[in-house]
Amino acid sequence: MERRHGFFAALREEVARGLSPARARRKSEAADLAAAALRFAGVVGGGEMLAPLMEGPDPEPSDGESGGACRGAARGRKEGWGHWVRGQFARAPSSAVAAAGAGALRNDLRMLLGVLGAPLAPVHVCATEPLPHLSVKDTPIETSSAQYILQQYLAASGGHKLLASLRNSYAMGKVRMVATEFETGGRLTKNRNAGRGGEPGRFVLWQMAPEMWYIELVVGGSKVHAGCNGKLVWRHTPWLGAHSATGPVRPLRRSLQGLDPLMTASMFARARCIGERKVNGEDCFILKLSTDTETLKARSEGHAEIIRHVTFGYFSQRTGLLAHIEDSHLTRIQSAAGGDAVYWETTISSFMEDYRPVDGIMIAHSGRSAVTLFRFGEVAMSHTKTRMEEVWSIEEVAFNVPGLSMDCFIPPTDIKSGSVGEAMELTHGERSRAGPPQGYCAKVAALEKAEEDKVAWGGGTVLESHN
């Protein structure tokens, strides 16, 4: 048999030899520390040696050829965060406008990754649990219809027997994210960078039965990685560090976007059929799933209360496959100082396209998502609305990868005490868009010192935030 070449073939050989995402992370951290030691010692390697990636913002490329961008990136990696910050404040006033635009772009990227980086499904799901037995006797028509639709969905996806035989899976793909519109007090502002297609990135997703998963997503030079070992869900961002998530263990929402049919069917097992609708010209059945009160209470934290979370699944009547999934949750945030409460409504709408069989299983190889963040309260002028978009494509998918074990899903050791609520990134994104506070220039020296401490301790910069 002809040997299959490419990225996954090499990756599968490494995994078979005992490597894993967890070990790859440890190797990456060790490589970063070694590279940092070389820099501090004044040793600059030549030839094939790669400079370590910079944790801070990417250096601004020149308007000329791409070679200028490469030289700027190399210069930024060598000179570090402190030099970059000094350069921003030392610029002429004409350059300050461009620097402000770059800062806004980074804030937009932070908000994009905070909301779209690794969102979770609305409820706890275990794909190993048997699905409800199809019955029309003493069962509401909405429930029995939903069960029938799910059975057709599983049959169209490859069959329950084949899907249940999967021990693990791997997927690699590309993404492109952009924040398109911002509305404040009735004034609509469109992002000029939206026409350029947004920020490109890539992701790798590993899953293992029954409830373990791990994802790495890199967009615009910033990396978000998250995972679940079956007992704990965690996420790591450059601005938050590593934190655990509130509430019960839940699957990754990206897995429900046409990558894991059995998990999707298990999540909608308690849904109801509420009607029909056309989606992209396709007649679809609509299944509605409402998160129960206990789960909402478990996901609430401190002054942030999850009021509701509703998910809709649109299943094609022609193919039986999932064509569209939309979920919306409403969060109430009460200020610690009292006063009026603020409400956040987050809606994520995803369309799945280009279904193709992989080892007999139908996988959606492309799709797009639109996110709307609506903040409102007692005062109408305080209302804000933000719209974001994501386009993704799947390049490689494989099942039952040899050598993948539970060790691949071990959480990082630097998870900070206390969990991260779902409203944290929303309010943090709002603050980051407001720009730096007054007197921030005076903190450059302290920031440089923090950068030195970060390198010395091998940690990450942590900002106050909210997920």
Side-chain angles (χ1 to χ4, degrees), residues 189-213:
T189 303
K190 294 189 176 182
N191 188 352
R192 297 179 180 178
N193 295 320
R196 304 176 184 175
E199 292 283 345
R202 306 185 72 88
F203 71 90
V204 177
L205 171 62
W206 298 85
Q207 296 187 104
M208 185 173 180
E211 300 176 61
M212 291 175 282
W213 53 267

mmCIF file with all atom_site columns, all heavy atoms in Angstrom, residues 189-213:
data_model
loop_
_atom_site.group_PDB
_atom_site.id
_atom_site.type_symbol
_atom_site.label_atom_id
_atom_site.label_alt_id
_atom_site.label_comp_id
_atom_site.label_asym_id
_atom_site.label_entity_id
_atom_site.label_seq_id
_atom_site.pdbx_PDB_ins_code
_atom_site.Cartn_x
_atom_site.Cartn_y
_atom_site.Cartn_z
_atom_site.occupancy
_atom_site.B_iso_or_equiv
_atom_site.pdbx_formal_charge
_atom_site.auth_seq_id
_atom_site.auth_comp_id
_atom_site.auth_asym_id
_atom_site.auth_atom_id
_atom_site.pdbx_PDB_model_num
ATOM 1   N N   . THR A 1 189 ? -20.928 51.889 13.922 1.00 0.00 ? 189 THR A N   1
ATOM 2   C CA  . THR A 1 189 ? -19.585 52.033 13.357 1.00 0.00 ? 189 THR A CA  1
ATOM 3   C C   . THR A 1 189 ? -19.167 50.712 12.740 1.00 0.00 ? 189 THR A C   1
ATOM 4   O O   . THR A 1 189 ? -19.210 49.681 13.407 1.00 0.00 ? 189 THR A O   1
ATOM 5   C CB  . THR A 1 189 ? -18.570 52.439 14.443 1.00 0.00 ? 189 THR A CB  1
ATOM 6   O OG1 . THR A 1 189 ? -18.994 53.647 15.064 1.00 0.00 ? 189 THR A OG1 1
ATOM 7   C CG2 . THR A 1 189 ? -17.183 52.633 13.834 1.00 0.00 ? 189 THR A CG2 1
ATOM 8   N N   . LYS A 1 190 ? -18.783 50.746 11.476 1.00 0.00 ? 190 LYS A N   1
ATOM 9   C CA  . LYS A 1 190 ? -18.347 49.534 10.792 1.00 0.00 ? 190 LYS A CA  1
ATOM 10  C C   . LYS A 1 190 ? -16.829 49.462 10.772 1.00 0.00 ? 190 LYS A C   1
ATOM 11  O O   . LYS A 1 190 ? -16.142 50.479 10.598 1.00 0.00 ? 190 LYS A O   1
ATOM 12  C CB  . LYS A 1 190 ? -18.900 49.488 9.363  1.00 0.00 ? 190 LYS A CB  1
ATOM 13  C CG  . LYS A 1 190 ? -20.417 49.346 9.316  1.00 0.00 ? 190 LYS A CG  1
ATOM 14  C CD  . LYS A 1 190 ? -20.901 49.081 7.902  1.00 0.00 ? 190 LYS A CD  1
ATOM 15  C CE  . LYS A 1 190 ? -22.406 48.854 7.887  1.00 0.00 ? 190 LYS A CE  1
ATOM 16  N NZ  . LYS A 1 190 ? -22.902 48.543 6.524  1.00 0.00 ? 190 LYS A NZ  1
ATOM 17  N N   . ASN A 1 191 ? -16.318 48.269 10.937 1.00 0.00 ? 191 ASN A N   1
ATOM 18  C CA  . ASN A 1 191 ? -14.883 48.049 10.953 1.00 0.00 ? 191 ASN A CA  1
ATOM 19  C C   . ASN A 1 191 ? -14.339 48.108 9.532  1.00 0.00 ? 191 ASN A C   1
ATOM 20  O O   . ASN A 1 191 ? -14.755 47.343 8.660  1.00 0.00 ? 191 ASN A O   1
ATOM 21  C CB  . ASN A 1 191 ? -14.582 46.680 11.593 1.00 0.00 ? 191 ASN A CB  1
ATOM 22  C CG  . ASN A 1 191 ? -13.100 46.468 11.825 1.00 0.00 ? 191 ASN A CG  1
ATOM 23  O OD1 . ASN A 1 191 ? -12.261 47.258 11.399 1.00 0.00 ? 191 ASN A OD1 1
ATOM 24  N ND2 . ASN A 1 191 ? -12.779 45.377 12.499 1.00 0.00 ? 191 ASN A ND2 1
ATOM 25  N N   . ARG A 1 192 ? -13.395 49.007 9.298  1.00 0.00 ? 192 ARG A N   1
ATOM 26  C CA  . ARG A 1 192 ? -12.815 49.117 7.956  1.00 0.00 ? 192 ARG A CA  1
ATOM 27  C C   . ARG A 1 192 ? -12.010 47.893 7.564  1.00 0.00 ? 192 ARG A C   1
ATOM 28  O O   . ARG A 1 192 ? -11.847 47.594 6.389  1.00 0.00 ? 192 ARG A O   1
ATOM 29  C CB  . ARG A 1 192 ? -11.923 50.358 7.891  1.00 0.00 ? 192 ARG A CB  1
ATOM 30  C CG  . ARG A 1 192 ? -12.683 51.671 8.104  1.00 0.00 ? 192 ARG A CG  1
ATOM 31  C CD  . ARG A 1 192 ? -11.736 52.846 8.055  1.00 0.00 ? 192 ARG A CD  1
ATOM 32  N NE  . ARG A 1 192 ? -12.445 54.116 8.259  1.00 0.00 ? 192 ARG A NE  1
ATOM 33  C CZ  . ARG A 1 192 ? -11.842 55.301 8.295  1.00 0.00 ? 192 ARG A CZ  1
ATOM 34  N NH1 . ARG A 1 192 ? -10.511 55.369 8.153  1.00 0.00 ? 192 ARG A NH1 1
ATOM 35  N NH2 . ARG A 1 192 ? -12.548 56.393 8.483  1.00 0.00 ? 192 ARG A NH2 1
ATOM 36  N N   . ASN A 1 193 ? -11.478 47.189 8.576  1.00 0.00 ? 193 ASN A N   1
ATOM 37  C CA  . ASN A 1 193 ? -10.669 46.006 8.275  1.00 0.00 ? 193 ASN A CA  1
ATOM 38  C C   . ASN A 1 193 ? -11.517 44.800 7.897  1.00 0.00 ? 193 ASN A C   1
ATOM 39  O O   . ASN A 1 193 ? -10.980 43.774 7.485  1.00 0.00 ? 193 ASN A O   1
ATOM 40  C CB  . ASN A 1 193 ? -9.814  45.635 9.488  1.00 0.00 ? 193 ASN A CB  1
ATOM 41  C CG  . ASN A 1 193 ? -8.789  46.707 9.800  1.00 0.00 ? 193 ASN A CG  1
ATOM 42  O OD1 . ASN A 1 193 ? -8.187  47.275 8.894  1.00 0.00 ? 193 ASN A OD1 1
ATOM 43  N ND2 . ASN A 1 193 ? -8.599  47.000 11.087 1.00 0.00 ? 193 ASN A ND2 1
ATOM 44  N N   . ALA A 1 194 ? -12.861 44.907 8.049  1.00 0.00 ? 194 ALA A N   1
ATOM 45  C CA  . ALA A 1 194 ? -13.714 43.772 7.746  1.00 0.00 ? 194 ALA A CA  1
ATOM 46  C C   . ALA A 1 194 ? -13.632 43.386 6.275  1.00 0.00 ? 194 ALA A C   1
ATOM 47  O O   . ALA A 1 194 ? -13.716 42.212 5.916  1.00 0.00 ? 194 ALA A O   1
ATOM 48  C CB  . ALA A 1 194 ? -15.160 44.073 8.133  1.00 0.00 ? 194 ALA A CB  1
ATOM 49  N N   . GLY A 1 195 ? -13.449 44.399 5.400  1.00 0.00 ? 195 GLY A N   1
ATOM 50  C CA  . GLY A 1 195 ? -13.366 44.108 3.970  1.00 0.00 ? 195 GLY A CA  1
ATOM 51  C C   . GLY A 1 195 ? -12.117 43.352 3.581  1.00 0.00 ? 195 GLY A C   1
ATOM 52  O O   . GLY A 1 195 ? -12.059 42.762 2.494  1.00 0.00 ? 195 GLY A O   1
ATOM 53  N N   . ARG A 1 196 ? -11.110 43.350 4.449  1.00 0.00 ? 196 ARG A N   1
ATOM 54  C CA  . ARG A 1 196 ? -9.863  42.633 4.142  1.00 0.00 ? 196 ARG A CA  1
ATOM 55  C C   . ARG A 1 196 ? -9.931  41.156 4.514  1.00 0.00 ? 196 ARG A C   1
ATOM 56  O O   . ARG A 1 196 ? -8.971  40.428 4.309  1.00 0.00 ? 196 ARG A O   1
ATOM 57  C CB  . ARG A 1 196 ? -8.697  43.289 4.881  1.00 0.00 ? 196 ARG A CB  1
ATOM 58  C CG  . ARG A 1 196 ? -8.530  44.768 4.577  1.00 0.00 ? 196 ARG A CG  1
ATOM 59  C CD  . ARG A 1 196 ? -7.420  45.380 5.411  1.00 0.00 ? 196 ARG A CD  1
ATOM 60  N NE  . ARG A 1 196 ? -7.307  46.822 5.199  1.00 0.00 ? 196 ARG A NE  1
ATOM 61  C CZ  . ARG A 1 196 ? -6.483  47.608 5.871  1.00 0.00 ? 196 ARG A CZ  1
ATOM 62  N NH1 . ARG A 1 196 ? -5.690  47.078 6.810  1.00 0.00 ? 196 ARG A NH1 1
ATOM 63  N NH2 . ARG A 1 196 ? -6.441  48.905 5.623  1.00 0.00 ? 196 ARG A NH2 1
ATOM 64  N N   . GLY A 1 197 ? -11.029 40.727 5.088  1.00 0.00 ? 197 GLY A N   1
ATOM 65  C CA  . GLY A 1 197 ? -11.180 39.308 5.405  1.00 0.00 ? 197 GLY A CA  1
ATOM 66  C C   . GLY A 1 197 ? -10.895 38.941 6.830  1.00 0.00 ? 197 GLY A C   1
ATOM 67  O O   . GLY A 1 197 ? -11.081 37.799 7.224  1.00 0.00 ? 197 GLY A O   1
ATOM 68  N N   . GLY A 1 198 ? -10.405 39.895 7.644  1.00 0.00 ? 198 GLY A N   1
ATOM 69  C CA  . GLY A 1 198 ? -10.174 39.606 9.048  1.00 0.00 ? 198 GLY A CA  1
ATOM 70  C C   . GLY A 1 198 ? -8.837  38.958 9.331  1.00 0.00 ? 198 GLY A C   1
ATOM 71  O O   . GLY A 1 198 ? -7.942  38.903 8.481  1.00 0.00 ? 198 GLY A O   1
ATOM 72  N N   . GLU A 1 199 ? -8.707  38.445 10.548 1.00 0.00 ? 199 GLU A N   1
ATOM 73  C CA  . GLU A 1 199 ? -7.465  37.844 11.021 1.00 0.00 ? 199 GLU A CA  1
ATOM 74  C C   . GLU A 1 199 ? -7.450  36.353 10.701 1.00 0.00 ? 199 GLU A C   1
ATOM 75  O O   . GLU A 1 199 ? -8.348  35.615 11.109 1.00 0.00 ? 199 GLU A O   1
ATOM 76  C CB  . GLU A 1 199 ? -7.330  38.032 12.537 1.00 0.00 ? 199 GLU A CB  1
ATOM 77  C CG  . GLU A 1 199 ? -7.114  39.472 12.971 1.00 0.00 ? 199 GLU A CG  1
ATOM 78  C CD  . GLU A 1 199 ? -5.693  39.933 12.729 1.00 0.00 ? 199 GLU A CD  1
ATOM 79  O OE1 . GLU A 1 199 ? -4.823  39.068 12.496 1.00 0.00 ? 199 GLU A OE1 1
ATOM 80  O OE2 . GLU A 1 199 ? -5.453  41.152 12.777 1.00 0.00 ? 199 GLU A OE2 1
ATOM 81  N N   . PRO A 1 200 ? -6.428  35.873 9.983  1.00 0.00 ? 200 PRO A N   1
ATOM 82  C CA  . PRO A 1 200 ? -6.349  34.432 9.691  1.00 0.00 ? 200 PRO A CA  1
ATOM 83  C C   . PRO A 1 200 ? -5.751  33.666 10.860 1.00 0.00 ? 200 PRO A C   1
ATOM 84  O O   . PRO A 1 200 ? -5.037  34.217 11.697 1.00 0.00 ? 200 PRO A O   1
ATOM 85  C CB  . PRO A 1 200 ? -5.423  34.381 8.473  1.00 0.00 ? 200 PRO A CB  1
ATOM 86  C CG  . PRO A 1 200 ? -4.515  35.567 8.661  1.00 0.00 ? 200 PRO A CG  1
ATOM 87  C CD  . PRO A 1 200 ? -5.343  36.633 9.343  1.00 0.00 ? 200 PRO A CD  1
ATOM 88  N N   . GLY A 1 201 ? -6.047  32.394 10.919 1.00 0.00 ? 201 GLY A N   1
ATOM 89  C CA  . GLY A 1 201 ? -5.508  31.534 11.974 1.00 0.00 ? 201 GLY A CA  1
ATOM 90  C C   . GLY A 1 201 ? -5.699  30.069 11.651 1.00 0.00 ? 201 GLY A C   1
ATOM 91  O O   . GLY A 1 201 ? -6.251  29.711 10.601 1.00 0.00 ? 201 GLY A O   1
ATOM 92  N N   . ARG A 1 202 ? -5.244  29.243 12.574 1.00 0.00 ? 202 ARG A N   1
ATOM 93  C CA  . ARG A 1 202 ? -5.347  27.789 12.409 1.00 0.00 ? 202 ARG A CA  1
ATOM 94  C C   . ARG A 1 202 ? -5.697  27.174 13.762 1.00 0.00 ? 202 ARG A C   1
ATOM 95  O O   . ARG A 1 202 ? -5.480  27.780 14.818 1.00 0.00 ? 202 ARG A O   1
ATOM 96  C CB  . ARG A 1 202 ? -4.040  27.186 11.894 1.00 0.00 ? 202 ARG A CB  1
ATOM 97  C CG  . ARG A 1 202 ? -3.514  27.834 10.625 1.00 0.00 ? 202 ARG A CG  1
ATOM 98  C CD  . ARG A 1 202 ? -2.283  27.106 10.128 1.00 0.00 ? 202 ARG A CD  1
ATOM 99  N NE  . ARG A 1 202 ? -2.627  25.818 9.572  1.00 0.00 ? 202 ARG A NE  1
ATOM 100 C CZ  . ARG A 1 202 ? -2.970  25.618 8.298  1.00 0.00 ? 202 ARG A CZ  1
ATOM 101 N NH1 . ARG A 1 202 ? -3.018  26.633 7.459  1.00 0.00 ? 202 ARG A NH1 1
ATOM 102 N NH2 . ARG A 1 202 ? -3.264  24.412 7.866  1.00 0.00 ? 202 ARG A NH2 1
ATOM 103 N N   . PHE A 1 203 ? -6.220  25.949 13.726 1.00 0.00 ? 203 PHE A N   1
ATOM 104 C CA  . PHE A 1 203 ? -6.534  25.255 14.969 1.00 0.00 ? 203 PHE A CA  1
ATOM 105 C C   . PHE A 1 203 ? -6.318  23.761 14.794 1.00 0.00 ? 203 PHE A C   1
ATOM 106 O O   . PHE A 1 203 ? -6.350  23.218 13.683 1.00 0.00 ? 203 PHE A O   1
ATOM 107 C CB  . PHE A 1 203 ? -7.980  25.535 15.414 1.00 0.00 ? 203 PHE A CB  1
ATOM 108 C CG  . PHE A 1 203 ? -9.030  24.880 14.562 1.00 0.00 ? 203 PHE A CG  1
ATOM 109 C CD1 . PHE A 1 203 ? -9.504  23.600 14.848 1.00 0.00 ? 203 PHE A CD1 1
ATOM 110 C CD2 . PHE A 1 203 ? -9.555  25.544 13.466 1.00 0.00 ? 203 PHE A CD2 1
ATOM 111 C CE1 . PHE A 1 203 ? -10.464 23.005 14.062 1.00 0.00 ? 203 PHE A CE1 1
ATOM 112 C CE2 . PHE A 1 203 ? -10.525 24.956 12.669 1.00 0.00 ? 203 PHE A CE2 1
ATOM 113 C CZ  . PHE A 1 203 ? -10.980 23.681 12.974 1.00 0.00 ? 203 PHE A CZ  1
ATOM 114 N N   . VAL A 1 204 ? -6.072  23.102 15.925 1.00 0.00 ? 204 VAL A N   1
ATOM 115 C CA  . VAL A 1 204 ? -5.956  21.647 15.994 1.00 0.00 ? 204 VAL A CA  1
ATOM 116 C C   . VAL A 1 204 ? -6.839  21.187 17.151 1.00 0.00 ? 204 VAL A C   1
ATOM 117 O O   . VAL A 1 204 ? -6.786  21.755 18.248 1.00 0.00 ? 204 VAL A O   1
ATOM 118 C CB  . VAL A 1 204 ? -4.499  21.194 16.226 1.00 0.00 ? 204 VAL A CB  1
ATOM 119 C CG1 . VAL A 1 204 ? -4.432  19.678 16.375 1.00 0.00 ? 204 VAL A CG1 1
ATOM 120 C CG2 . VAL A 1 204 ? -3.612  21.645 15.082 1.00 0.00 ? 204 VAL A CG2 1
ATOM 121 N N   . LEU A 1 205 ? -7.646  20.179 16.917 1.00 0.00 ? 205 LEU A N   1
ATOM 122 C CA  . LEU A 1 205 ? -8.584  19.682 17.917 1.00 0.00 ? 205 LEU A CA  1
ATOM 123 C C   . LEU A 1 205 ? -8.407  18.181 18.081 1.00 0.00 ? 205 LEU A C   1
ATOM 124 O O   . LEU A 1 205 ? -8.414  17.428 17.103 1.00 0.00 ? 205 LEU A O   1
ATOM 125 C CB  . LEU A 1 205 ? -10.023 19.985 17.496 1.00 0.00 ? 205 LEU A CB  1
ATOM 126 C CG  . LEU A 1 205 ? -11.147 19.348 18.326 1.00 0.00 ? 205 LEU A CG  1
ATOM 127 C CD1 . LEU A 1 205 ? -11.091 19.845 19.772 1.00 0.00 ? 205 LEU A CD1 1
ATOM 128 C CD2 . LEU A 1 205 ? -12.497 19.647 17.704 1.00 0.00 ? 205 LEU A CD2 1
ATOM 129 N N   . TRP A 1 206 ? -8.220  17.752 19.338 1.00 0.00 ? 206 TRP A N   1
ATOM 130 C CA  . TRP A 1 206 ? -8.148  16.335 19.685 1.00 0.00 ? 206 TRP A CA  1
ATOM 131 C C   . TRP A 1 206 ? -9.333  15.995 20.599 1.00 0.00 ? 206 TRP A C   1
ATOM 132 O O   . TRP A 1 206 ? -9.673  16.777 21.482 1.00 0.00 ? 206 TRP A O   1
ATOM 133 C CB  . TRP A 1 206 ? -6.848  16.014 20.436 1.00 0.00 ? 206 TRP A CB  1
ATOM 134 C CG  . TRP A 1 206 ? -5.593  16.273 19.654 1.00 0.00 ? 206 TRP A CG  1
ATOM 135 C CD1 . TRP A 1 206 ? -4.929  17.454 19.530 1.00 0.00 ? 206 TRP A CD1 1
ATOM 136 C CD2 . TRP A 1 206 ? -4.835  15.321 18.904 1.00 0.00 ? 206 TRP A CD2 1
ATOM 137 N NE1 . TRP A 1 206 ? -3.810  17.303 18.749 1.00 0.00 ? 206 TRP A NE1 1
ATOM 138 C CE2 . TRP A 1 206 ? -3.736  15.999 18.351 1.00 0.00 ? 206 TRP A CE2 1
ATOM 139 C CE3 . TRP A 1 206 ? -4.986  13.955 18.650 1.00 0.00 ? 206 TRP A CE3 1
ATOM 140 C CZ2 . TRP A 1 206 ? -2.784  15.378 17.562 1.00 0.00 ? 206 TRP A CZ2 1
ATOM 141 C CZ3 . TRP A 1 206 ? -4.040  13.331 17.859 1.00 0.00 ? 206 TRP A CZ3 1
ATOM 142 C CH2 . TRP A 1 206 ? -2.957  14.028 17.328 1.00 0.00 ? 206 TRP A CH2 1
ATOM 143 N N   . GLN A 1 207 ? -9.923  14.836 20.397 1.00 0.00 ? 207 GLN A N   1
ATOM 144 C CA  . GLN A 1 207 ? -11.009 14.373 21.253 1.00 0.00 ? 207 GLN A CA  1
ATOM 145 C C   . GLN A 1 207 ? -10.809 12.906 21.589 1.00 0.00 ? 207 GLN A C   1
ATOM 146 O O   . GLN A 1 207 ? -10.272 12.152 20.786 1.00 0.00 ? 207 GLN A O   1
ATOM 147 C CB  . GLN A 1 207 ? -12.367 14.556 20.572 1.00 0.00 ? 207 GLN A CB  1
ATOM 148 C CG  . GLN A 1 207 ? -12.744 15.987 20.314 1.00 0.00 ? 207 GLN A CG  1
ATOM 149 C CD  . GLN A 1 207 ? -14.163 16.127 19.791 1.00 0.00 ? 207 GLN A CD  1
ATOM 150 O OE1 . GLN A 1 207 ? -15.071 16.513 20.504 1.00 0.00 ? 207 GLN A OE1 1
ATOM 151 N NE2 . GLN A 1 207 ? -14.352 15.804 18.524 1.00 0.00 ? 207 GLN A NE2 1
ATOM 152 N N   . MET A 1 208 ? -11.261 12.537 22.777 1.00 0.00 ? 208 MET A N   1
ATOM 153 C CA  . MET A 1 208 ? -11.148 11.152 23.210 1.00 0.00 ? 208 MET A CA  1
ATOM 154 C C   . MET A 1 208 ? -12.366 10.800 24.057 1.00 0.00 ? 208 MET A C   1
ATOM 155 O O   . MET A 1 208 ? -12.766 11.575 24.938 1.00 0.00 ? 208 MET A O   1
ATOM 156 C CB  . MET A 1 208 ? -9.860  10.945 24.015 1.00 0.00 ? 208 MET A CB  1
ATOM 157 C CG  . MET A 1 208 ? -9.608  9.503  24.407 1.00 0.00 ? 208 MET A CG  1
ATOM 158 S SD  . MET A 1 208 ? -7.974  9.303  25.173 1.00 0.00 ? 208 MET A SD  1
ATOM 159 C CE  . MET A 1 208 ? -7.995  7.538  25.498 1.00 0.00 ? 208 MET A CE  1
ATOM 160 N N   . ALA A 1 209 ? -12.980 9.662  23.760 1.00 0.00 ? 209 ALA A N   1
ATOM 161 C CA  . ALA A 1 209 ? -14.158 9.226  24.506 1.00 0.00 ? 209 ALA A CA  1
ATOM 162 C C   . ALA A 1 209 ? -13.762 8.923  25.948 1.00 0.00 ? 209 ALA A C   1
ATOM 163 O O   . ALA A 1 209 ? -12.670 8.421  26.212 1.00 0.00 ? 209 ALA A O   1
ATOM 164 C CB  . ALA A 1 209 ? -14.764 7.992  23.838 1.00 0.00 ? 209 ALA A CB  1
ATOM 165 N N   . PRO A 1 210 ? -14.644 9.202  26.931 1.00 0.00 ? 210 PRO A N   1
ATOM 166 C CA  . PRO A 1 210 ? -15.987 9.724  26.680 1.00 0.00 ? 210 PRO A CA  1
ATOM 167 C C   . PRO A 1 210 ? -16.106 11.241 26.672 1.00 0.00 ? 210 PRO A C   1
ATOM 168 O O   . PRO A 1 210 ? -16.946 11.783 25.964 1.00 0.00 ? 210 PRO A O   1
ATOM 169 C CB  . PRO A 1 210 ? -16.796 9.140  27.847 1.00 0.00 ? 210 PRO A CB  1
ATOM 170 C CG  . PRO A 1 210 ? -15.811 9.037  28.969 1.00 0.00 ? 210 PRO A CG  1
ATOM 171 C CD  . PRO A 1 210 ? -14.472 8.749  28.338 1.00 0.00 ? 210 PRO A CD  1
ATOM 172 N N   . GLU A 1 211 ? -15.301 11.987 27.433 1.00 0.00 ? 211 GLU A N   1
ATOM 173 C CA  . GLU A 1 211 ? -15.564 13.420 27.555 1.00 0.00 ? 211 GLU A CA  1
ATOM 174 C C   . GLU A 1 211 ? -14.292 14.251 27.557 1.00 0.00 ? 211 GLU A C   1
ATOM 175 O O   . GLU A 1 211 ? -14.262 15.335 28.135 1.00 0.00 ? 211 GLU A O   1
ATOM 176 C CB  . GLU A 1 211 ? -16.345 13.707 28.845 1.00 0.00 ? 211 GLU A CB  1
ATOM 177 C CG  . GLU A 1 211 ? -17.685 13.010 28.936 1.00 0.00 ? 211 GLU A CG  1
ATOM 178 C CD  . GLU A 1 211 ? -18.353 13.256 30.279 1.00 0.00 ? 211 GLU A CD  1
ATOM 179 O OE1 . GLU A 1 211 ? -18.628 14.427 30.596 1.00 0.00 ? 211 GLU A OE1 1
ATOM 180 O OE2 . GLU A 1 211 ? -18.590 12.283 31.010 1.00 0.00 ? 211 GLU A OE2 1
ATOM 181 N N   . MET A 1 212 ? -13.241 13.797 26.915 1.00 0.00 ? 212 MET A N   1
ATOM 182 C CA  . MET A 1 212 ? -11.972 14.519 26.925 1.00 0.00 ? 212 MET A CA  1
ATOM 183 C C   . MET A 1 212 ? -11.731 15.194 25.581 1.00 0.00 ? 212 MET A C   1
ATOM 184 O O   . MET A 1 212 ? -12.006 14.610 24.531 1.00 0.00 ? 212 MET A O   1
ATOM 185 C CB  . MET A 1 212 ? -10.824 13.558 27.261 1.00 0.00 ? 212 MET A CB  1
ATOM 186 C CG  . MET A 1 212 ? -10.859 13.059 28.692 1.00 0.00 ? 212 MET A CG  1
ATOM 187 S SD  . MET A 1 212 ? -9.595  11.813 29.050 1.00 0.00 ? 212 MET A SD  1
ATOM 188 C CE  . MET A 1 212 ? -10.356 10.373 28.311 1.00 0.00 ? 212 MET A CE  1
ATOM 189 N N   . TRP A 1 213 ? -11.203 16.423 25.633 1.00 0.00 ? 213 TRP A N   1
ATOM 190 C CA  . TRP A 1 213 ? -10.884 17.144 24.413 1.00 0.00 ? 213 TRP A CA  1
ATOM 191 C C   . TRP A 1 213 ? -9.792  18.178 24.700 1.00 0.00 ? 213 TRP A C   1
ATOM 192 O O   . TRP A 1 213 ? -9.579  18.574 25.832 1.00 0.00 ? 213 TRP A O   1
ATOM 193 C CB  . TRP A 1 213 ? -12.126 17.823 23.825 1.00 0.00 ? 213 TRP A CB  1
ATOM 194 C CG  . TRP A 1 213 ? -12.897 18.702 24.762 1.00 0.00 ? 213 TRP A CG  1
ATOM 195 C CD1 . TRP A 1 213 ? -13.956 18.347 25.540 1.00 0.00 ? 213 TRP A CD1 1
ATOM 196 C CD2 . TRP A 1 213 ? -12.670 20.100 25.028 1.00 0.00 ? 213 TRP A CD2 1
ATOM 197 N NE1 . TRP A 1 213 ? -14.400 19.413 26.273 1.00 0.00 ? 213 TRP A NE1 1
ATOM 198 C CE2 . TRP A 1 213 ? -13.640 20.505 25.980 1.00 0.00 ? 213 TRP A CE2 1
ATOM 199 C CE3 . TRP A 1 213 ? -11.752 21.035 24.559 1.00 0.00 ? 213 TRP A CE3 1
ATOM 200 C CZ2 . TRP A 1 213 ? -13.713 21.806 26.461 1.00 0.00 ? 213 TRP A CZ2 1
ATOM 201 C CZ3 . TRP A 1 213 ? -11.811 22.338 25.038 1.00 0.00 ? 213 TRP A CZ3 1
ATOM 202 C CH2 . TRP A 1 213 ? -12.790 22.710 25.973 1.00 0.00 ? 213 TRP A CH2 1
#
